[in-house]
Amino acid sequence: PAQLASIFKLKSWLYWSWTYICTLWFAMVLTMVYVLRSPLKLQETVNAASVFLNTLTPKFYVALTGTSSLISGLILIFEWWYFRKYGTSFIEQVSVSHLRPLLGGVENSSSAGLFSSVNGDTEPRTNVAECKVWRNPLNLFRGAEYSRYTWVTGKEPLTYYDMNLSAQDHQTFFLGDTQQLRPEDSVMQKAWRERNPQARIRAAYQAIELNRECAAAYVLLAEEEATTITEAERLFKQALKSGMKLSGKDTNLVVYIKRRLAMCARKLGRIKEAVKMMRDLMKEFPLLGMLNIHENLLEALLELQAYADVQAVLAKYDDISLPKSATICYTSALLKARAVSDKFSPEAASRRGLSTAEMNAVEAIHRAVEFNPHVPKYLLEMKSLILPPEHILKRGDSEAVAYAFFHLQHWKRAEGALNLLHCTWEGTFRIIPYPLEKGHLFYPYPGCTETADRELLPSFHEVSVYPKKELPFFILFTAGLCSFCAMLAMLTHQFPELMGVFVKAVSICTPHRTQKCVGFFVVVFLAFLSSLCALNIYFFFV
């Protein structure tokens, strides 16, 4: 410990002395130049440079400033593209990664590992827990739904990262209760890992040839080969029949199949049958709450407009001790908004104030928006929807897409609910002005959602970012530099004599040695560049 303390003190002293060392070095350089001015023939060099500048025509400086404007414009385009794709400035990222350690910058690791809870207490915070990816409870069928989108648009709705997570889920979920794998199970383990869909389908048929009662193989065919929901339902029924014949039936496999059968019934319009299947499944396997089957049940009950049953499910699962989701928070807000939205008027509310029921609805909307602030833009159709991914990140854009894809119709069915949402959702941000530092009803908003959502959502979708990032300094810097150089080039080209008169008027040189306008441009350009560079260094490192 004593040795570590001495090393730490040494590093601290070096960081503290960095500014003084730079100042001392700069002073030594100036002193050396002054002492060696005669051997270096500085006066003759300055005179020669002056003669050289006087021989240059304005066309040279037009080309110089035009080239500078072109280069800075290309840098600006690259910086803007990189910021839109990755959410950060490329130059800033390189500067922080490589230059900050050299200049003594140290990341504040102590604050990164802690965060304040709702009551102000400090608790440990891990990025892994924040950015845990969950299986989408209402994920679509690959063959009957995702593939159709690909056939029509030519775009892939699922990312490789998302499909790889699904493969890992299937390998873990369908391994079975036995320690020793059967031959068909080994084939299916390899099948889930195949990247090519046709290779997965061929492996499933190979497993069926080894054992006609291989339930996992029928599941894969139902998910990926079936081109209609009806065909997928038939294969799932065959998988359930085979799964029930297993000695010591695989509970995970049976639960998965029954849930997908209920989803098939929901998609085929047999909603009451789907609700009964989901209720029976939750009653039969009450310990599998992590599968979030209640979210499937909530969506089906909303389709039936059985709002009393929806409220009963929320009373059980919208508990402070249970993890939240966008489905729980926004469904609760929908029920409260539905009670007052048909008669709600912003003008009347501003005159008389909000009633108790309206206040409860607004608070429920604020609670939902604080949990996931990306959802309202999809419900209000301010952003276009895409097919939801197979995995979602809670409080992220992927969860917002998945929720709005299935629940937008339910909000439209409740008269005035979207109008109430439109009038009140932005008020949430006045309650939590610094969402990354402190929350109101929930923990602070995690800062890692953007990166995870970019991995889960396809590249053609513009990921929603919260809180909205300001433009990086380097984009503004390159934009100003490009505009300044272009202005100099245009003025020098269009009005060379007028610019020359202007330079003579402001020149500090003697009348007999007046510089041409281009020399003035060079000086101004260098001064502008130096000041911006100094400001940039101060902004990032000091």
Side-chain angles (χ1 to χ4, degrees):
Q3 184 179 4
L4 292 176
S6 60
I7 295 175
F8 179 76
K9 289 182 179 180
L10 179 61
K11 288 184 178 181
S12 302
W13 181 83
L14 290 175
Y15 296 153
W16 173 79
S17 62
W18 176 261
T19 305
Y20 301 98
I21 292 176
C22 290
T23 306
L24 180 61
W25 175 82
F26 187 68
M28 291 175 61
V29 170
L30 292 180
T31 304
M32 186 176 297
V33 170
Y34 178 77
V35 172
L36 300 177
R37 65 186 185 281
S38 297
L40 293 176
K41 299 181 179 180
L42 294 180
Q43 187 66 32
E44 291 81 352
T45 304
V46 170
N47 293 334
S50 177
V51 172
F52 175 74
L53 290 175
N54 286 330
T55 59
L56 296 176
T57 62
K59 291 184 179 180
F60 169 80
Y61 294 100
V62 172
L64 176 65
T65 52
T67 305
S68 302
S69 176
L70 175 63
I71 294 174
S72 56
L74 294 176
I75 296 175
L76 173 63
I77 294 173
F78 173 77
E79 278 285 295
W80 177 256
W81 169 82
Y82 194 88
F83 174 72
R84 293 298 298 270
K85 185 171 184 180
Y86 299 105
T88 185
S89 165
F90 175 77
I91 303 177
E92 175 184 341
Q93 187 178 16
V94 172
S95 302
V96 171
S97 301
H98 300 284
L99 296 182
R100 177 171 289 184
L102 298 178
L103 296 178
V106 181
E107 293 290 341
N108 190 359
S109 58
S110 60
S111 62
L114 299 173
F115 72 107
S116 299
S117 61
V118 178
N119 56 8
D121 298 332
T122 302
E123 300 180 4
R125 182 183 194 179
T126 59
N127 292 332
V128 177
E130 285 181 346
C131 296
K132 181 181 178 180
V133 175
W134 299 77
R135 183 82 175 177
N136 183 3
L138 291 91
N139 65 303
L140 304 178
F141 295 87
R142 286 192 187 179
E145 293 173 305
Y146 287 120
S147 295
R148 288 191 172 209
Y149 179 84
T150 304
W151 297 337
V152 173
T153 64
K155 298 178 181 179
E156 289 291 341
L158 298 176
T159 64
Y160 176 69
Y161 175 72
D162 191 14
M163 292 189 290
N164 187 48
L165 290 176
S166 298
Q168 295 175 14
D169 292 342
H170 291 148
Q171 290 178 68
T172 304
F173 211 62
F174 301 149
L175 184 60
D177 298 330
T178 58
Q179 296 293 331
Q180 185 176 1
L181 291 178
R182 294 161 297 186
E184 62 271 20
D185 293 333
S186 300
V187 173
M188 289 307 301
Q189 287 291 308
K190 295 179 182 177
W192 296 120
R193 291 196 295 265
E194 290 286 350
R195 187 169 184 177
N196 188 346
Q198 296 303 319
R200 291 195 293 270
I201 294 173
R202 286 195 299 268
Y205 279 114
Q206 182 183 351
I208 292 176
E209 290 177 1
L210 294 173
N211 182 2
R212 301 290 299 178
E213 304 298 336
C214 181
Y218 290 111
V219 169
L220 190 148
L221 295 178
E223 291 284 356
E224 305 210 18
E225 189 186 38
T227 56
T228 63
I229 300 298
T230 304
E231 186 180 355
E233 185 181 34
R234 179 184 62 81
L235 288 169
F236 274 121
K237 288 181 178 179
Q238 179 63 42
L240 180 62
K241 182 179 177 181
S242 301
M244 298 298 287
K245 290 181 180 179
L246 294 175
S247 57
K249 63 179 182 180
D250 187 349
T251 302
N252 292 338
L253 184 59
V254 171
V255 170
Y256 182 88
I257 295 172
K258 287 185 176 182
R259 179 183 192 167
R260 294 304 261 178
L261 280 172
M263 295 176 68
C264 289
R266 162 68 182 90
K267 292 175 184 293
L268 293 173
R270 306 195 307 269
I271 305 174
K272 290 185 178 179
E273 178 185 344
V275 169
K276 183 179 182 304
M277 295 173 68
M278 293 174 191
R279 289 188 185 277
D280 293 342
L281 194 58
M282 295 168 62
K283 188 180 300 183
E284 186 179 358
F285 304 99
L287 298 180
L288 294 179
M290 61 179 181
L291 298 179
N292 297 323
I293 303 175
H294 59 275
E295 296 193 11
N296 299 82
L297 179 61
L298 283 172
E299 197 280 326
L301 290 173
L302 286 171
E303 182 64 21
L304 288 175
Q305 302 184 43
Y307 296 111
D309 293 336
V310 172
Q311 186 62 55
V313 175
L314 287 176
K316 181 178 180 181
Y317 290 96
D318 192 6
D319 187 83
I320 192 172
S321 62
L322 297 177
K324 298 296 181 291
S325 66
T327 301
I328 293 292
C329 295
Y330 278 90
T331 302
S332 177
L334 173 60
L335 292 188
K336 293 181 180 180
R338 175 180 167 274
V340 298
S341 59
D342 56 337
K343 299 178 182 179
F344 177 77
S345 171
E347 295 79 9
S350 62
R351 289 195 304 268
R352 59 174 171 78
L354 294 175
S355 65
T356 303
E358 290 173 339
M359 182 64 70
N360 291 336
V362 171
E363 290 177 353
I365 290 175
H366 286 176
R367 170 179 179 258
V369 173
E370 181 184 354
F371 182 83
N372 194 317
H374 309 285
V375 172
K377 288 187 177 181
Y378 294 106
L379 293 180
L380 298 173
E381 298 182 89
M382 300 166 64
K383 285 195 68 175
S384 59
L385 273 174
I386 61 171
L387 295 186
E390 293 183 337
H391 289 80
I392 59 173
L393 180 70
K394 288 191 176 182
R395 306 187 74 178
D397 190 34
S398 52
E399 184 190 34
V401 169
Y403 172 80
F405 184 86
F406 294 100
H407 288 263
L408 176 58
Q409 56 182 332
H410 307 314
W411 279 82
K412 287 184 174 181
R413 188 180 294 120
E415 183 182 355
L418 289 176
N419 178 46
L420 179 60
L421 177 68
H422 174 72
C423 296
T424 58
W425 74 280
E426 291 182 329
T428 311
F429 307 127
R430 292 191 290 270
I431 302 175
I432 43 173
Y434 304 102
L436 296 179
E437 301 174 9
K438 188 176 181 180
H440 178 58
L441 298 174
F442 299 99
Y443 290 128
Y445 189 79
C448 61
T449 56
E450 180 186 357
T451 304
D453 281 331
R454 290 185 187 277
E455 294 287 340
L456 291 171
L457 297 171
S459 58
F460 58 82
H461 173 70
E462 183 180 354
V463 175
S464 177
V465 179
Y466 176 77
K468 189 171 182 60
K469 293 184 176 180
E470 297 180 356
L471 283 178
F473 174 78
F474 277 108
I475 290 183
L476 302 176
F477 169 73
T478 51
L481 184 62
C482 176
S483 303
F484 181 75
C485 294
M487 181 187 66
L488 287 183
M490 182 185 67
L491 291 177
T492 308
H493 177 71
Q494 294 293 333
F495 312 103
E497 303 214 353
L498 183 60
M499 292 299 293
V501 172
F502 173 73
V503 170
K504 291 178 181 179
V506 299
S507 176
I508 60 173
C509 301
T510 59
H512 304 288
R513 302 285 307 272
T514 302
Q515 300 289 333
K516 287 191 174 181
C517 66
V518 191
F520 173 74
F521 289 156
V522 172
V523 173
V524 173
F525 174 74
L526 291 177
F528 176 76
L529 185 62
S530 300
S531 60
L532 284 180
C533 286
L535 179 63
N536 170 45
I537 292 174
Y538 175 81
F539 179 77
F540 276 104
F541 303 121
V542 178

